[in-house]
Each structure stands twice: as structure tokens, then as C-alpha cells.
């Protein structure tokens, strides 16, 4: 039995594992075998009411807790996560379908995020403002919102739970978390560890359910702040619901991230990173490097080498710990299969992959060349291991192609020309830029920023704590005595 076991067919409300009010349960399926792993409670509107009420009751006491004590409690949680990395990695990998090593990486990242905000809990300060005379004093105080609703998807549940729940708790908020009904097991395992760490009842609640539970939570009048990670379409619907209660929202949505590869780049390093960026988690990441923009002079060489590397990717179930697992669900398999059918019809040239393979929801890593900006595979988020290749002649055209998308999450620039890299980093409309690497390796507290249809959020970075606080300004006239 894993050290992170928690009761089946239940969810976590007010410090206890309880069944859904109506007794309904939800099957959790292994994507590699399509077999049921376990059951969790299927939360409905009444369960959401219970969770929000519990968070509301706990809110005053948690907000009044010494921030150093909050930080110490969050650090105990981080220590328990680190102590159970292997068990948690297996839960995450099996539930999502990713290789065990990918699950392990996600748990380490989640630990680091929780540990980071444990240290930040008592570093949140206001400012003292200048005044027009010594008879006045002005200052600001950061205060928690109260009850925070956090809704996350299924692709990297450990990381996304940590990136949203840890800063919310560190800032003094209580939380109701709704993980995806497709992959809720890691959040349940993590909240069990939070219970063991000693969090007071109601401070952190986790309910699992589908659209009904999500809608009930994000439109609930007892919620003071909403954090959502998921699709752009659902993000728009949540903003509409939040407007009815005038609740602030932070949104982390989709992406169509380019790797921009110039001829002077280190091709060996770049190609390895390009392949990893679209095959990690079977391409089911919002920041996945789903577009490859290649300078024309090296286009043929790069496409040939990328295709060979993609074709060599080994796929299998989570416990085989190969290069790539299956897609997470039948719905996701159908979605990606639709792109594989449409791309050739629209004129893209299939270089490798292109057809589902094996048992489970496996899709072969796929490369399409001769893609233009009007094709679905270039415009829409596939959320699968599908790479769209375009070529450019100069820096100006590379910039135009980088920005020819509704999304603005991440852009990766590969070049040995520092001036070119800095110019492109300035001109690209993206919340994050990486140069000669994919994403933010090696940077502590890197903000997961975004622009355009990718949303607006700092996603667990150095400024995330302030996203979960509201600022109060205080002005005092000092009386003569």
C-alpha cells in the first residue's frame, strides 16, 4: 500500500474524507489500458456548497494566523511531499498516462513550488507612501481575498495544484480546489498529505466533478476569487459567470508556442529540445512547442533530423517508463485524431507519424511540414504530440510568424546572435521567452506569464503571492498632542 493512500469514493471537505451527498461516484481510468483504477466521489452542487461553507468558516482564523506559522505549516506539507515522491509519482503517472519519470519530475516541481511559497508567506509586505507634510502617514496593507476557488485540468495536476494552492494559502486565503474529473488522484493524495501536515479543517478542500461542479464553484456567491487553468473557451465562460458576482479572476489558458530556430543555432541541442517540447506528456501541455519555425537555409536538414528523432520515440504505459505515454482520454484521442485527418486535407505534408497506434489512447509523434498560418494545425491548440513546421527567410519574417497566433504563452528562440535574440524577445507578443532552451530551466521563481488568448496569470512565479491578495490603502492625519 502506498504511503499516500486515501479513501476511495470520497472527497475532502472540512478536514474529513466524506462521500458525495447523493452517493454518486466517478470511475478513474488508466489511459494505457482503459481499465478502471479506482473511484472518487462525484461532487455536485450540494457538495460544492459544503466545501465553500467550510472554507468560509475557516477563513477568519487562517487569515489571522501568524504568517510565519502559515509558512511553517506549508513547509511541513512540502516535507511530506518530498518524503513520498515515488508513491506520488506513480499516482500522477498512472492517472494521466505519462511515463513514471515524468510523474517523478512533476512531483519534484510541485514540492519546490510549495517549499518556495512556504518561505514567502511571511515576506508579503505593503509600502509606506510619501506625504506632502510630516503631519500625514500613508501606507498599504496586502490582505487575503477570503475563499479562493481553484479549478485545474488533468495534464499536470501536481504542478498546477501547487502553483495555485500554495500561494493562495501562504497569503492567508482558504481554498476549494476542483481538479479535473479525468485525473483527480494526485490532488487527493496531496490533500491527504496536507491533512497529515496539520492544516486546520476547512482551509483546503478538494471536490471532484465534471461541468456541474465546476459551474457551481465558479458561480458561487461565497467565493471571493477564482483561479482557472484550462481551455480558452471555458475561461471565457468562467469570466462571464464571475462577472455576476464581481469576483476577480486569474486565467491560465491555451498556447501555440513556437520554437524559432535560426541557422546559426546549436542544432544538436535545439533539435533534442524541440522533440522533447512536443512529446513530453504526449504534447498535452499548454506551453508545448507545437510550432517549429525554421530558417530556410537549414529547413530540410532540421525537418529530416526532427522527424527521425520523433519516429524513434518509444511509447508505452506509465510503468514501462518509456519516452511517451498515451493521450489521457477517449475525448482527447478523438480530438487529436481529428487534427490528423484535417492537416493533410488542408495541404500539410506528413513527414512522420499521423495515425493512432496500439491499445489504449496512443498516438504516434507526428510532424507536418509545409504548414501555413491558415491551417487548423497552425492556429489551434492540438494538445497532442503533433508538430507543425513553417520556414522563414529573415528575422522580420520570423517575428511575423511568431506573432501569427491568437495565443501568447511561450516563445523559444534558438540563435547564437545575442542582438537578434534580444530583439526578438522584445518584439514577440508572449508572456514568456526562452533563449537557447525550452522554457525556464534553471530560473527560480520564474513567472508563468501569458498574453492574448492565453490569459492573464503569473502562475506560481515570484509575483504569484500578490495575485491572491487585495491591497488596502491607509491614510492618517497625525493630530497635535
Amino acid at each position: 500500500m502506498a504511503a499516500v493512500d486515501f479513501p476511495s469514493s470520497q472527497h475532502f471537505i472540512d478536514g474529513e474524507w466524506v462521500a458525495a451527498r447523493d452517493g454518486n461516484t466517478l470511475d478513474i481510468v488508466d489511459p494505457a489500458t482503459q481499465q478502471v483504477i479506482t473511484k472518487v466521489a462525484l461532487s455536485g452542487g450540494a457538495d460544492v456548497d459544503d466545501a465553500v461553507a467550510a472554507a468560509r468558516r475557516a477563513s477568519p482564523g487562517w487569515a489571522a494566523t501568524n504568517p510565519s506559522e502559515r509558512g511553517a505549516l506549508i513547509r511541513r506539507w512540502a516535507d511530506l511531499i518530498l518524503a513520498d515522491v515515488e508513491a506520488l509519482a506513480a499516482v500522477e503517472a498512472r492517472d494521466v498516462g505519462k511515463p513514471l519519470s515524468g510523474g517523478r519530475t512533476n512531483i519534484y516541481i510541485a514540492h519546490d513550488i510549495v517549499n518556495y511559497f512556504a518561505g514567502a508567506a511571511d515576506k508579503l509586505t505593503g509600502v509606506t507612501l510619501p506625504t506632502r507634510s510630516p503631519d500625514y502617514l500613508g501606507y498599504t496593507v496586502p490582505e487575503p481575498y477570503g475563499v479562493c476557488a481553484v479549478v485545474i485540468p488533468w495534464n499536470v495536476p501536481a504542478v498546477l495544484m501547487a502553483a495555485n494552492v500554495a500561494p493562495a494559502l501562504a497569503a492567508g486565503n482558504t481554498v476549494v480546489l476542483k481538479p479535473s474529473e479525468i485525473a483527480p488522484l494526485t490532488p487527493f493524495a496531496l490533500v491527504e498529505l496536507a491533512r497529515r501536515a496539520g492544516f486546520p479543517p476547512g482551509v483546503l478542500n478538494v471536490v471532484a466533478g465534471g461541468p456541474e461542479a465546476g459551474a457551481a464553484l465558479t458561480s458561487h456567491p461565497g467565493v471571493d476569487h477564482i483561479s482557472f487553468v484550462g481551455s480558452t473557451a471555458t475561461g471565457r465562460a468562467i469570466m462571464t459567470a464571475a462577472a455576476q458576482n464581481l469576483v476577480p479572476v486569474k486565467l491560465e489558458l491555451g498556447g501555440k508556442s513556437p520554437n524559432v530556430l535560426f541557422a546559426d543555432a546549436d542544432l544538436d541541442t535545439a533539435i533534442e529540445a524541440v522533440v522533447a517540447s512536443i512529446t513530453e506528456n504526449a504534447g498535452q501541455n499548454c506551453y508545448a512547442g507545437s510550432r517549429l519555425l525554421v530558417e530556410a537555409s537549414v529547413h530540410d536538414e532540421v525537418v529530416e533530423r526532427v522527424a527521425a528523432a520523433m519516429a524513434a520515440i518509444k511509447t508505452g504505459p506509465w510503468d514501462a517508463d518509456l519516452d511517451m505515454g498515451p493521450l489521457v482520454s477517449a475525448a482527447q484521442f478523438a480530438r487529436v485524431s481529428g487534427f490528423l485527418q484535417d492537416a493533410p486535407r488542408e495541404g500539410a505534408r506528413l513527414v512522420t507519424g499521423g495515425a493512432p497506434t496500439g491499445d489504449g489512447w496512443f498516438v504516434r509523434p507526428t510532424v507536418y511540414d509545409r504548414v501555413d498560418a491558415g491551417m487548423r494545425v497552425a492556429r489551434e491548440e492540438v494538445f497532442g504530440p503533433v508538430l507543425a513546421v513553417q520556414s522563414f527567410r529573415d528575422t522580420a519574417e520570423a517575428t511575423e510568424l511568431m506573432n501569427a497566433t491568437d495565443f501568447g504563452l511561450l516563445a523559444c528562440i534558438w540563435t547564437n546572435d545575442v542582438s537578434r535574440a534580444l530583439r526578438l524577445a522584445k518584439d514577440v507578443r508572449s508572456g514568456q521567452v526562452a533563449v537557447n532552451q525550452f522554457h525556464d530551466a534553471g530560473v527560480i521563481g520564474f513567472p508563468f506569464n501569458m498574453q492574448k488568448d492565453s490569459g492573464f496569470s503569473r502562475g506560481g512565479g515570484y509575483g504569484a503571492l500578490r495575485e491572491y491578495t487585495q491591497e488596502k490603502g491607509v491614510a492618517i492625519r497625525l493630530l497635535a498632542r
Side-chain angles (χ1 to χ4, degrees), residues 385-442:
V386 181
L387 182 63
V389 182
Q390 298 169 271
S391 66
F392 62 85
R393 291 161 295 183
D394 52 30
T395 302
E397 188 176 8
T399 304
E400 181 180 352
L401 288 174
M402 277 196 304
N403 290 327
T405 173
D406 293 332
F407 298 104
L409 182 54
L410 170 67
C412 301
I413 301 161
W414 299 87
T415 179
N416 285 323
D417 186 326
V418 174
S419 295
R420 173 192 285 151
L422 291 174
R423 184 176 298 279
L424 285 168
K426 174 180 177 294
D427 291 342
V428 66
R429 293 189 61 197
S430 178
Q432 303 164 61
V433 179
V435 178
N436 292 330
Q437 62 174 338
F438 185 76
H439 205 220
D440 61 345

Side-chain angles (χ1 to χ4, degrees), residues 35-62:
Q35 300 300 308
V36 174
I37 302 171
T38 187
K39 296 178 182 290
V40 298
L42 178 59
S43 310
D47 303 295
V48 169
D49 288 341
D50 290 344
V52 172
R56 178 63 61 197
R57 288 191 298 271
S59 180
W62 184 246

Side-chain angles (χ1 to χ4, degrees), residues 148-239:
C148 292
V150 177
V151 181
I152 61 172
W154 43 261
N155 57 331
V156 281
V159 173
L160 293 173
M161 179 178 178
N164 289 280
V165 169
L169 295 178
N173 301 281
T174 57
V175 172
V176 179
L177 169 70
K178 194 201 86 68
S180 168
E181 69 275 20
I182 295 174
L185 297 185
T186 311
F188 278 138
L190 290 174
V191 79
E192 168 61 17
L193 294 183
R195 184 191 68 80
R196 297 178 195 177
F199 281 89
V203 168
L204 176 56
N205 309 272
V206 182
V207 293
E212 178 189 351
L217 180 57
T218 55
S219 63
H220 202 288
V223 165
D224 302 302
H225 181 279
I226 298 170
S227 176
F228 172 74
V229 184
S231 73
T232 300
T234 305
R236 289 193 173 100
I238 285 175
M239 282 198 72

